[in-house]
Amino acid sequence: MNIVIKKQELINEIITKDIFNLIIKKDNCVLGLATGTTPLGVYKRICDTFKDKVSFKNVKTFNLDEYYGLDKSDINSYHHFMYENLFSKIDIDLNNTYFPNDIACNNYSLYDELIKSNGGIDYQILGIGRNGHIGFNEPGTSFLSLTHISELQDSTINDNARFFSSKDDVPSKAITMGLKSIMNAKKIVIIAFGKNKALAINRLINGQVDEKMPASILKYHKNVTLFLDEDAAKKLK
Ligand code: PGA
């Protein structure tokens, strides 16, 4: 795993450039996208700078996860988040943007089939939870998991309550790409900002590969870069 420690602004710039270069090489590339606070800077930078550089017309996107039982139009849905923070501000075709709960029949592993039939994810963006989750793969999730329904842990519900009017409004379940689904991506960047991620990052770097630390599976991937700001890297030394 490559580790890059830099200021948030610089990290956002590097990842944006990476994505633009990918689109220049392969205009129908497939991006794996995350929600949450962490990737917001990258999305803002993409929106502010894509014109005259690249077009997203042929790009396809697959989001990592979505709350279970929230309507697409709900302001707390990840559909809404992506539309507000990225899709409505770039020239992407909304028909090329996919979410795991768009799958009919509740057979969510069909999402993995859909990703595969589109050529697989070229570039996957990830955040990390304080408990080490990636997507909504909570500690204890099988490393062999494909897209599935996950039960959110209390710490995740508490962390995400800031977006809702009360903790009770946070859905207790989500549909998430599994750990195996994520590992199928050709290139992965995982980003952690802020001191509240420092403990998880220390466990990720210095701990064992273990299902109790879902992100640790990334150590088995050939092309992963972990981007940290100084605060998230604080406990590494
Ligand atoms: P955050 O969430 O970007 O809002 O910190 C990251 C995550 O839980 O994966």
Side-chain angles (χ1 to χ4, degrees), residues 35-39 127-129 133 135 162 197:
T35 50
T37 306
T38 311
I128 181 170
H133 74 205
R162 68 189 193 277
K197 300 291 170 73

Side-chain angles (χ1 to χ4, degrees), residues 35-39 126-130 133-136 156 159-160 162-163 193 196-197:
T35 50
T37 306
T38 311
L126 296 176
I128 181 170
R130 281 188 305 129
H133 74 205
I134 48 176
F136 272 128
T156 300
D159 284 348
N160 290 4
R162 68 189 193 277
F163 300 110
F193 291 154
N196 65 340
K197 300 291 170 73

